[in-house]
């Protein structure tokens, strides 16, 4: 392991390059790229990279960037790209297509608020807009988590039982543009962790095939069922991938949900991304003061593993969800998933808090206020907006 | 944990400074975090960057509310509110020329560190005077105040590939930073709660902050003036583009003054110059050259000639010969303050202009006006004063410098047998004699041998003196004739016959007159001048005979070197052999043998400069070798097509028997619209003529017409996009690295 001092974007770039390079013995790698703040440094990093076998293809739009990735992936190349906000929304059609083609493309998302109004700062509305895409979604809390999860995403997505693309999200600026210390996985270890991509359905001149042609309704339904089956296998494959990661790299990245101090907790905070790190400090200090509070880190959003979530909160009776996103007419997007996960738990008071929209700072004080609020509440109400100024 | 907040302005390197400070600690094995507040950076608004350092992993991602140290990298941001929330123990680092004590009122009770980072950065050429980039400089000061070694700064800079001047600037700041504990109680401050900028400005609350977008540029445009091809080719060195621009505004007097800076003969050149400027004119690639010669003529005819001036009182200079070279040199020497005396063998000044060029091409009143102006510039003349080598030596004792500009006066001969001497004359002598007494050639047949202007002049003069038939015999073809093309056209119009590819061999007297026998010629391989070598064809069929009462030889002339002592050597215009005390020079055709009036004028000006430099014990200033405004810098496709306005001609029938001027200029008297229209065809190659194309195309509105230059660029706001330079149709704007452009 080599210790480095990098921005989140450069760390992500490093991981993508290492993963691509690890496929040099097979069909190499390829990224179709188009820049957008706050992801641009990833594109810069990729564009400067020299691959043993592979290429970065600068194109005129995010839609084409994903199209390049699909072409490369369908040819057996390890493919990756990155985007943010409105750029990611422009890519959406092809993200769906990549999933339905069963192509294990990894897209790093530097989360950014969707405009208008024009706003550069973090908000998860962009990647969560792909909630219904056939695509895995991971939310990372740190530079280390980001680098490790990118490798895990390739490993899981490329598994013959899964064959799905993945989004790996980091908070725009809070991680993407913040330079911090992390361990960079060495190429040799990445080579060991990521076997050559062997895509069974890749283009093959010996066996000409047509992809994505017209099908009958029943065939389409079957395809959707197969994708659901693959999603259902993610917990198994992810577990294997994390175990393998631990044996190769000597550390184990977090899985779908990480329960921290929840065993005897009355109240549990659910958070993701950098908010987890702030919440963790608050929970620790409350514990020190004798309160029975716990924390669940939600990292895997797609598939949403309902059973694992229910297990993670333990016996808690009050659950507060921090959502740095907002689905108009519904509320926090993680909250709606959690609500369906707890549909049989009528004993739990589940309250959603919409925080940090448009890049508002989620300070320890904000989280303290949320804990106070959920603890004194008689019953849950519609999702509460908690702007910083309210506290 | 150590927490540092850096206050700067967007785009000036504050975040990089945070990364460098964090990098210094990282390389010592610490956990670090460096980040900025993004989004507002393009507004040039005040922004912050943050550094955290700890021995344990850092888990917070919130901005720093209670920093240990505060660094203010932009002097304009120094204010009490910047350290709001700051802990009491740390240091406030300021980029300022002032001493720490100067901030007693702003930051009482605080530990203050000051460093003139702007000055250090500029001294190390980091950024510009207007926009110094100070982050690497301030790193040196920060490293010092937090107790690290300079080697830590060095390592951080090296790790980030900041070397050379950055390292030197940091070292200077490390050494020069001053730290002082200020007296008094620390001011209470509200907790600092950073709020991200919202990306919009409420105009009701004031104006958006100023954005000096010039900081984004790597290259800036600047105006430039390239040498136009016309001036470059003008033997006299006239500022053609410059005088045409005055003519467009019908300011003939300003145009005349422009020409008179280089040539005292605009009326002459406007009539007899072969106009190499027109051959070179870029406009020829578009449609037709600008009719520069006829515009120059109009300038001489319409401009107000300047006032006379008294003779100069500096060194005494003698000029031998009052042809175009001698008079031009005298003119420039007199303008340079020297006392000049011209010695002319003839009774009137003008040399070849008066004796060699017929009046129908150069009317005498035009020449008289120009000679009068030259003499009025302080030049004295002694006419009927021949100078031989003895006299030249005498002049050498009397004058500080002597210029010999006696032109070409040794005509080349031709052996055509022992015929009557009177049947063969030199064309140049014939032309000279027509000026002195009346000659009647009525009914005779004249043959002129040669292809230059002297041949044309002799032939056409003979015609005007009554000759019945005039033929020009030339051994090459018309295309090779050195005479001005228009002169040949006009001669043909007047009825002169040109016999190509003939070489005169013998002049035979006969019963009914003299016959000239010629031999046919074919052209062989090119000779050293690049022209094909004529070769006589053998055999009786190749003989052509023609009647010839008088044969005129116009085969070129060479200088009469007998004026110089034997074995005198010349190097360029300088006579190397010293005799007498004077500095001795040669000029015009005497030295160069180029054979055109314009070349003689150019030589006269150049030799005058040499003489003045030599008298001042210096060397003549070389004119800088400037880039030419050739077709490569011009966007010719942007200009509309327009036909050349041509010179009016006296009808051929009218001019055959009189010395009335053939070429009448562009316009009849009193109607000069056509002249300025013709001048307006000038593309102003390589120089701004305020066409405003750049102003129209500039997307930033940074071009203004308010300075001494036609346009000024506001480099505070120019982003260096280069549209102005690419769109200028005449190559008058060029891009260069910002530091070079701004420091010019």
């Amino acid at each position: 392991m080599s210790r480095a001092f990098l921005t989140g974007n450069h760390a992500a770039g490093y991981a993508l390059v290492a993963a691509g390079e690890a496929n040099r013995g097979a069909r190499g790698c390829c990224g179709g790229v188009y820049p957008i703040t706050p992801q641009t440094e990833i594109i810069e990093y990729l564009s400067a990279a020299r691959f043993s076998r592979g290429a970065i293809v600068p194109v005129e739009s995010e839609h084409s960037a994903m199209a390049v990735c699909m072409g490369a992936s369908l040819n057996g190349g390890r493919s990756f790209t990155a985007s943010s906000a409105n750029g990611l929304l422009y890519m959406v059609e092809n993200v769906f297509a990549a999933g339905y083609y069963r192509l294990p493309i990894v897209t790093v998302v530097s989360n950014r608020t969707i405009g208008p109004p024009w706003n550069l700062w973090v908000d998860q509305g962009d990647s969560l807009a792909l909630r219904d895409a056939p695509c895995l979604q991971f939310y990372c809390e740190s530079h280390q988590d980001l680098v490790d999860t990118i490798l895990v995403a390739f490993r899981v997505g490329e598994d013959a039982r899964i064959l799905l693309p993945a989004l790996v999200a980091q908070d725009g600026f809070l991680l993407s543009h913040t330079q911090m210390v992390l361990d960079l996985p060495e190429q040799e270890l990445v080579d060991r962790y990521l076997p050559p991509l062997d895509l069974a359905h890749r283009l093959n001149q010996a066996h000409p095939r047509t992809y994505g042609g017209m099908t009958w309704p029943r065939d389409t339904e079957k395809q959707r069922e197969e994708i659901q089956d693959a999603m259902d296998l993610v917990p198994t494959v992810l577990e294997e991938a994390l175990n393998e990661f631990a044996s190769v790299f000597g550390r184990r990245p977090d899985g779908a949900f990480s329960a921290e101090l929840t065993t005897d907790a009355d109240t549990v905070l659910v958070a993701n991304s950098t908010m987890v790190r702030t919440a963790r400090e608050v929970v620790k200090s409350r514990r020190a003061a004798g309160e029975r509070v716990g924390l669940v880190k939600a990292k895997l959003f797609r598939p949403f593993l309902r059973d694992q979530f229910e297990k993670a909160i333990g016996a808690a009776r009050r659950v507060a969800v921090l959502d740095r996103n907002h689905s108009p007419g519904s509320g926090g997007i993680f909250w709606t998933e959690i609500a369906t996960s707890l549909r049989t738990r009528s004993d739990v008071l589940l309250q959603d808090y919409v925080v940090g929209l448009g890049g508002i700072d989620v300070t320890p004080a904000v989280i303290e206020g949320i804990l106070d609020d959920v603890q004194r509440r008689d019953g849950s109400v519609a999702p509460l907006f908690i702007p910083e100024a309210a506290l | 944990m150590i927490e540092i907040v850096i206050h700067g302005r967007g785009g000036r390197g504050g975040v990089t400074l945070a990364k460098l400070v964090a990098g210094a600690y990282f390389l010592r094995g610490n956990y670090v975090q460096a980040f900025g507040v993004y989004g507002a950076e393009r507004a040039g608004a005040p922004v912050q960057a943050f550094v955290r350092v700890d021995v344990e992993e850092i888990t917070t991602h919130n901005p720093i509310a209670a920093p240990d140290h505060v660094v203010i990298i932009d002097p304009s941001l120094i204010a009490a509110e910047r350290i709001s929330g700051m802990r009491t123990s740390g240091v406030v680092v300021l980029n300022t020329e002032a001493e720490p004590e100067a901030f007693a009122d702003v930051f009482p009770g605080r530990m203050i560190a000051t460093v003139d980072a702007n000055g250090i950065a500029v001294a190390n050429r980091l950024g510009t005077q207007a926009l110094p980039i100070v982050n690497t400089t301030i790193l040196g000061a920060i490293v010092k105040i937090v107790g690290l070694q300079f080697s830590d700064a060095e390592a951080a800079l090296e790790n980030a590939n900041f070397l050379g001047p950055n390292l030197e600037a940091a070292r200077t700041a490390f050494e020069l930073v001053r730290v002082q504990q200020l007296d008094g109680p620390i001011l209470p401050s509200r907790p600092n709660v950073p709020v991200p900028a919202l990306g919009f400005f409420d105009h009701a609350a004031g104006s958006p902050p100023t954005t000096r977008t010039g900081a984004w540029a790597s290259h800036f445009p600047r105006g430039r003036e390239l040498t136009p091809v016309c001036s470059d080719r003008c033997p006299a060195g006239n500022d053609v583009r410059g005088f045409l621009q005055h003519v467009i505004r019908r300011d003939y007097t300003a145009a005349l003054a422009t020409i008179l800076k280089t040539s005292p003969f605009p009326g002459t050149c406007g009539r007899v110059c072969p106009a190499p400027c027109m051959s070179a004119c870029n406009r020829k690639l578009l449609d037709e050259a600008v009719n520069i010669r006829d515009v120059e003529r109009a300038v001489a005819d319409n401009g107000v000639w300047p006032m006379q001036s008294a003779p100069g009182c500096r060194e005494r200079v003698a000029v031998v010969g009052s042809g175009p070279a001698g008079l031009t040199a005298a003119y420039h020497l007199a303008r340079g303050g020297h006392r000049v005396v011209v010695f002319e063998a003839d009774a009137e000044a003008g040399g070849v202009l008066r004796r060699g060029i017929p009046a129908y091409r150069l009317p005498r009143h035009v020449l008289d006006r120009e000679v009068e102006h030259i003499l009025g510039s302080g030049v004295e003349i002694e006419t009927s004063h021949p100078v031989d080598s003895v006299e030249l030596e005498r002049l050498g004792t009397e004058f500080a410098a002597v210029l010999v500009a006696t032109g070409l006066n040794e005509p080349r001969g031709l052996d055509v047998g022992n015929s009557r001497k009177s049947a063969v004359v030199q064309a140049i002598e014939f032309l000279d004699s027509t000026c002195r007494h009346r000659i009647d050639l009525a009914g005779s047949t004249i043959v002129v041998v040669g292809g230059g202007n002297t041949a044309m002049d002799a032939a056409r003069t003979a015609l005007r003196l009554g000759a019945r038939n005039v033929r020009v015999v030339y051994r090459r073809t018309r295309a090779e004739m050195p005479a001005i093309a228009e002169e040949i056209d006009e001669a043909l119009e007047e009825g002169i016959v040109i016999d190509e590819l003939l070489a005169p061999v013998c002049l035979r007297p006969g019963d009914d007159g003299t016959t000239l026998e010629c031999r046919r010629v074919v052209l062989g391989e090119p000779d050293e001048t690049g022209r094909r070598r004529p070769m006589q064809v053998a055999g009786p069929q190749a003989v052509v005979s023609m009647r010839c009462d008088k044969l005129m030889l116009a085969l070129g002339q060479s200088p009469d070197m007998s004026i110089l002592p034997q074995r005198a050597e010349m190097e360029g215009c300088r006579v190397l052999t010293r005799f007498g005390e004077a500095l001795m020079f040669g000029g015009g055709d005497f030295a160069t043998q180029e054979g055109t009036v314009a070349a003689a004028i150019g030589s006269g000006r150049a030799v005058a400069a040499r003489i003045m430099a030599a008298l001042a014990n210096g060397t003549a200033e070389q004119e800088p070798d400037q880039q030419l405004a050739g077709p490569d810098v011009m966007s010719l496709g942007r200009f509309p097509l327009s036909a050349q306005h041509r010179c009016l001609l006296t009808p051929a029938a009218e001019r055959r028997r009189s010395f009335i001027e053939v070429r009448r200029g562009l316009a009849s008297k009193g109607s000069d619209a056509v002249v300025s229209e013709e001048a307006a065809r000038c593309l102003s190659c390589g120089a701004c003529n305020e066409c405003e194309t750049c102003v129209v195309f500039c997307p930033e509105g940074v071009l203004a017409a308010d300075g001494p230059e036609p346009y000024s660029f506001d480099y505070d706001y120019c982003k260096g996009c280069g549209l102005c330079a690419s769109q200028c149709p005449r190559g008058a704007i060029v891009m260069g690295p910002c530091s070079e452009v701004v420091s010019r």
Side-chain angles (χ1 to χ4, degrees):
Chain A
M1 294 288 168
S2 67
R3 192 151 239 243
F5 169 49
L6 294 177
T7 62
N9 278 340
H10 283 181
Y14 176 89
L16 293 174
V17 170
E21 197 59 9
N23 203 38
R24 63 190 177 281
R27 300 278 292 161
C29 66
C30 181
V33 294
Y34 191 82
I36 181 173
T37 298
Q39 144 276 33
T40 302
E41 290 175 328
I42 302 179
I43 306 307
E44 290 172 352
Y45 190 98
L46 294 178
S47 301
R50 293 290 169 267
F51 296 96
S52 304
R53 184 172 190 182
I56 296 300
V57 183
V59 289
E60 85 301 341
S61 73
E62 290 84 356
H63 190 272
S64 298
M66 181 52 76
V68 167
C69 289
M70 287 196 293
S73 185
L74 204 54
N75 275 282
R78 183 162 283 150
S79 298
F80 42 81
T81 188
S83 196
S84 293
N86 296 54
L88 183 66
L89 295 194
Y90 189 34
M91 186 188 281
V92 163
E93 181 191 11
N94 277 338
V95 176
F96 274 73
Y100 290 135
Y101 279 129
R102 307 296 296 270
L103 299 173
I105 297 160
V106 171
T107 302
V108 176
V109 178
S110 298
N111 282 129
R112 166 181 161 182
T113 309
I114 293 168
W118 232 227
N119 178 311
L120 305 175
W121 299 286
V122 58
D123 181 312
Q124 294 165 342
D126 51 357
S127 51
L128 288 171
L130 276 79
R131 185 178 63 177
D132 303 328
C135 183
L136 278 58
Q137 287 198 36
F138 296 92
Y139 290 83
C140 303
E141 69 163 88
S142 68
H143 291 49
Q144 194 69 61
D145 198 17
L146 175 64
V147 166
D148 294 352
T149 305
I150 287 169
L151 301 180
V152 169
F154 278 112
R155 170 92 190 201
V156 173
E158 292 176 2
D159 190 290
R161 291 164 288 179
I162 306 296
L163 293 179
L164 285 172
L167 303 184
V168 180
Q170 64 168 333
D171 284 353
F173 296 107
L174 300 185
L175 290 187
S176 72
H177 281 60
T178 299
Q179 202 163 341
M180 291 190 74
V181 181
L182 76 158
D183 287 326
L184 291 179
E186 275 148 13
Q187 187 65 48
E188 190 192 333
L189 300 181
V190 177
D191 292 348
R192 262 171 62 195
Y193 183 62
L194 292 178
L197 174 59
D198 181 17
L199 199 65
H201 65 291
R202 79 173 171 86
L203 293 170
N204 186 337
Q205 282 185 311
H207 300 282
R209 282 186 284 224
T210 296
Y211 294 81
M214 191 77 185
T215 65
W216 295 104
R218 176 60 197 134
D219 297 319
T220 303
E221 189 192 43
K222 184 161 171 291
Q223 182 219 29
R224 302 298 203 256
E225 281 175 10
E226 282 176 6
I227 288 171
Q228 181 61 44
D229 292 345
M231 286 286 191
D232 290 344
L233 283 171
V234 166
T236 310
V237 176
L238 177 60
E239 187 68 11
E240 291 170 14
L242 295 174
N243 290 340
E244 177 67 14
F245 194 100
S247 81
V248 172
F249 297 102
R251 65 171 176 271
R252 196 177 198 282
D254 288 329
F257 300 102
S258 311
E260 301 174 22
L261 307 169
T262 54
T263 329
D264 62 340
D266 292 329
T267 304
V268 164
L269 276 176
V270 184
N272 62 45
S273 67
T274 58
M275 289 189 299
V276 164
R277 286 157 81 82
T278 313
R280 190 177 286 130
E281 299 303 315
V282 173
V283 165
K284 276 188 202 161
S285 72
R286 291 268 179 144
R287 273 280 169 180
E291 287 182 35
R292 285 158 60 169
V293 295
L295 174 71
V296 169
K297 169 184 172 182
K299 177 168 166 183
L300 183 67
F301 175 77
R302 272 292 175 272
F304 201 89
L305 306 183
R306 296 193 183 96
D307 297 346
Q308 285 194 20
F309 181 80
E310 194 191 341
K311 216 170 288 168
I313 63 165
R317 297 298 186 83
R318 290 171 187 271
V319 174
V321 181
L322 274 58
D323 264 308
R324 192 169 218 151
N325 57 73
H326 178 239
S327 175
S330 175
I333 296 169
F334 274 78
W335 167 75
T336 57
E337 300 289 337
I338 288 165
T340 62
S341 306
L342 300 181
R343 61 198 177 283
T344 58
R345 292 287 299 273
S346 54
D347 57 324
V348 173
L349 185 155
L350 175 67
Q351 180 60 46
D352 186 28
Y353 298 89
V354 176
V355 293
L357 290 189
I360 287 178
D361 197 22
V362 181
T363 60
V366 169
I367 294 172
E368 299 268 9
I370 286 169
L371 269 178
D372 292 344
D373 182 81
V374 75
Q375 282 171 333
R376 66 169 175 253
R377 196 160 273 293
D378 295 330
S380 60
V381 293
L384 291 168
F385 278 79
I386 308 293
E388 182 184 41
L391 295 161
Chain B
M1 181 163 354
I2 304 171
E3 294 183 307
I4 304 171
V5 173
I6 296 164
H7 292 274
R9 289 193 182 274
R12 308 280 182 85
V15 173
T16 301
L17 176 56
K19 290 176 176 178
L20 288 169
V21 173
Y25 280 104
F26 167 70
L27 294 170
R28 292 171 64 95
N30 291 101
Y31 281 95
V32 293
Q33 183 183 59
F35 60 105
V37 173
Y38 288 91
E41 80 269 36
R42 281 187 189 161
V47 291
Q48 296 103 52
F50 305 94
V51 181
R52 285 193 175 95
V53 180
D54 208 345
V55 292
E56 293 170 359
E57 190 180 357
I58 297 163
T59 58
T60 175
H61 284 271
N62 303 118
I64 294 167
D68 296 287
H69 307 294
V70 172
V71 182
I72 304 178
I73 66 174
D74 189 310
S76 69
L77 292 175
I78 296 174
E81 72 224 48
R82 303 281 172 240
I83 64 163
S84 179
M86 181 181 167
R87 290 175 203 157
T88 54
S89 58
V91 182
V92 182
V93 183
L94 304 175
N95 170 13
T96 174
E97 290 177 349
E99 300 295 331
E101 295 79 359
F103 300 95
D105 296 339
V106 190
F107 305 116
R110 294 288 184 178
M111 186 81 85
I112 301 295
T114 61
V115 63
D116 177 20
N118 281 9
I120 296 170
V122 169
N124 283 282
R125 303 180 65 87
L126 298 170
T128 64
Q129 196 82 41
L131 293 170
I133 301 297
V134 297
N135 49 5
T136 49
T137 308
I138 290 178
L139 174 68
I142 295 174
V143 164
K144 180 76 161 281
I145 65 109
V146 297
L148 298 182
Q149 305 298 312
F150 184 70
S151 58
D152 294 311
E154 204 169 349
L157 287 167
E158 198 173 321
N159 193 45
N161 276 322
F162 284 113
L163 298 169
N166 289 291
L167 190 60
E168 285 319 302
R171 192 191 308 277
T172 308
F174 185 86
E175 284 159 5
L176 295 185
V177 62
R178 282 207 55 217
V179 185
Q180 178 73 42
Q181 172 68 49
L182 298 182
D183 295 333
I186 286 177
L187 295 174
S189 63
R190 291 176 293 109
N192 184 21
V193 183
V195 178
L198 291 174
F200 62 83
F201 299 98
D202 186 349
H203 286 251
S207 302
T210 307
T211 311
R212 300 220 161 181
T213 45
W216 307 353
S218 64
H219 286 62
F220 280 145
R222 63 177 170 79
R224 67 170 173 185
E225 215 169 86
L226 301 177
T227 304
V229 285
C230 46
S231 296
D232 182 60
R233 293 290 183 81
C234 176
N238 286 347
D239 177 8
V240 176
R241 180 180 63 201
F243 85 72
L244 288 176
Q245 293 301 312
H246 290 303
V247 174
I248 294 170
R249 293 189 295 277
R250 300 200 193 181
D251 188 347
Y252 294 101
T253 301
L256 180 61
T258 301
I259 301 173
L260 289 177
K261 282 181 195 162
T262 46
S263 161
F265 289 110
T268 301
C269 284
R271 288 170 170 82
V272 304
C273 186
C277 52
M278 292 172 64
S279 309
C281 181
N282 281 330
R283 181 131 211 160
K284 273 179 85 176
L285 299 171
L286 184 63
D287 38 47
E288 297 172 287
V290 177
N291 192 343
I292 298 166
R293 179 174 46 214
D294 282 306
V295 175
E296 183 179 11
R297 169 194 176 125
V299 168
D301 292 350
N302 295 337
V304 176
W305 288 70
M307 301 287 286
Q308 314 280 292
S309 50
C313 54
R314 296 174 69 181
E315 304 286 351
R316 279 166 60 77
V317 181
V319 174
V320 182
S322 70
L327 285 182
T328 302
Y331 168 75
H332 285 292
L333 286 162
R335 280 162 62 103
H338 295 285
R339 186 150 183 210
V340 189
V341 183
V342 176
F343 297 91
E344 169 56 50
D346 215 330
E348 285 179 283
V352 71
L353 300 177
R354 190 173 300 280
R355 300 293 174 208
I357 298 178
Y360 64 87
R361 283 179 64 205
L362 178 59
R364 294 300 172 245
H365 72 272
V366 173
L367 178 60
D368 291 343
R369 179 181 60 198
E370 298 189 336
V371 170
E372 187 189 333
H373 166 249
I374 293 165
L375 299 181
S377 307
V379 174
E380 295 167 41
I381 187 158
E382 286 193 25
T383 50
S384 308
H385 187 138
V387 176
D388 56 9
S389 62
V390 175
E391 174 66 0
L392 188 67
E393 202 152 352
R394 191 191 67 76
L395 294 178
T397 61
E398 199 179 311
F399 290 85
V402 179
L403 169 64
V404 178
T406 46
L408 302 172
N409 32 32
E410 286 290 287
R412 209 163 287 151
L414 183 73
D415 182 10
V416 285
N418 289 325
S419 59
R420 282 185 299 126
K421 287 286 174 201
S422 64
V424 183
V425 295
Q426 282 291 344
I428 193 80
E429 284 162 8
F430 162 70
L431 289 170
D432 180 59
S433 63
T434 60
C435 304
R436 296 174 194 278
H437 37 80
R438 185 168 160 70
I439 293 172
D440 188 358
L441 297 174
S444 62
T445 296
I446 307 293
V447 177
V448 182
V449 186
N453 284 324
T454 302
M456 291 303 140
D457 289 344
R460 297 174 72 189
T461 299
L463 191 72
R464 282 160 173 76
L465 293 176
R468 192 174 52 185
N469 292 305
V470 182
R471 308 178 79 94
V472 173
V473 170
Y474 184 53
R475 56 185 184 156
R476 294 190 173 90
T477 68
R478 195 198 144 165
E480 283 93 20
M481 282 186 164
I484 299 171
E486 291 94 328
E487 301 284 328
I488 303 170
D489 288 339
E490 289 164 16
L492 291 169
E493 283 168 22
E494 290 163 11
I496 288 164
V497 176
I498 294 179
D499 291 309
E500 297 178 330
L501 295 168
L502 283 185
V505 177
C506 183
L507 195 59
R508 276 185 215 288
D511 297 339
D512 50 348
T514 323
T515 306
L516 179 68
E517 272 184 21
C518 301
R519 202 161 261 287
R520 289 203 188 279
V521 165
V522 293
L523 295 179
E525 293 302 304
D527 63 9
E528 63 278 1
T529 67
R531 296 186 301 175
R532 294 173 67 191
R533 192 188 300 275
M535 296 183 302
Q536 293 188 12
V537 180
Q541 293 90 345
V543 175
V544 177
S545 296
M546 62 183 73
R547 182 177 168 155
C548 176
D549 297 329
K550 200 178 274 285
L551 180 65
M552 296 185 180
L553 302 180
L555 300 168
Q557 303 123 56
S558 50
D560 176 5
M561 303 302 284
S562 69
I563 188 171
L564 295 182
Q566 282 198 326
R567 288 191 302 281
E569 280 182 62
M570 288 191 68
E571 187 185 85
C573 63
R574 186 73 193 263
V575 180
L576 293 178
T577 317
R578 281 297 281 265
F579 55 105
E581 293 304 306
L583 299 161
M584 195 71 64
F585 293 84
D589 281 345
F590 178 77
T592 68
Q593 303 178 36
E594 287 184 64
T596 67
V597 173
I601 293 167
S603 169
R605 183 164 77 100
V607 76
R610 275 287 300 273
I611 292 169
M612 287 191 276
L615 290 173
N617 286 322
T619 49
E621 259 183 58
Q622 287 283 316
E623 284 184 19
D625 200 13
Q626 279 201 330
Q627 196 189 332
L628 280 185
D632 53 319
V633 305
M634 299 292 293
S635 303
L636 293 174
R638 290 176 169 275
F639 299 99
L641 299 179
S642 68
Q644 187 192 70
H645 297 85
R646 301 200 193 278
C647 183
L648 304 175
L649 296 178
T650 303
E654 196 179 322
R655 68 198 193 218
R656 286 187 71 200
R657 297 297 171 201
S658 85
F659 282 84
I660 185 171
E661 190 174 10
V662 174
R663 304 178 70 82
R664 320 269 290 259
L666 285 173
S668 44
K669 216 166 171 61
S671 152
D672 63 347
V674 69
V675 179
S676 60
E677 273 174 36
E678 183 57 24
R681 292 181 68 244
C682 171
L683 305 179
S684 186
C685 304
C688 178
N689 68 348
E690 302 176 39
C691 73
E692 294 197 331
T693 303
C694 53
V695 177
V696 169
F697 276 91
C698 175
E700 304 296 330
V702 302
L703 278 149
D706 56 0
E709 301 285 320
Y711 297 107
S712 63
F713 301 88
D714 188 343
Y715 295 126
D716 283 345
Y717 297 98
C718 172
K719 293 174 184 166
C721 69
L723 268 175
C724 53
S726 72
Q727 296 304 318
C728 174
R730 42 187 59 81
I733 302 177
V734 66
M735 302 297 291
C738 295
S739 54
E740 287 177 21
V741 173
V742 171
S743 67
R744 281 171 76 95

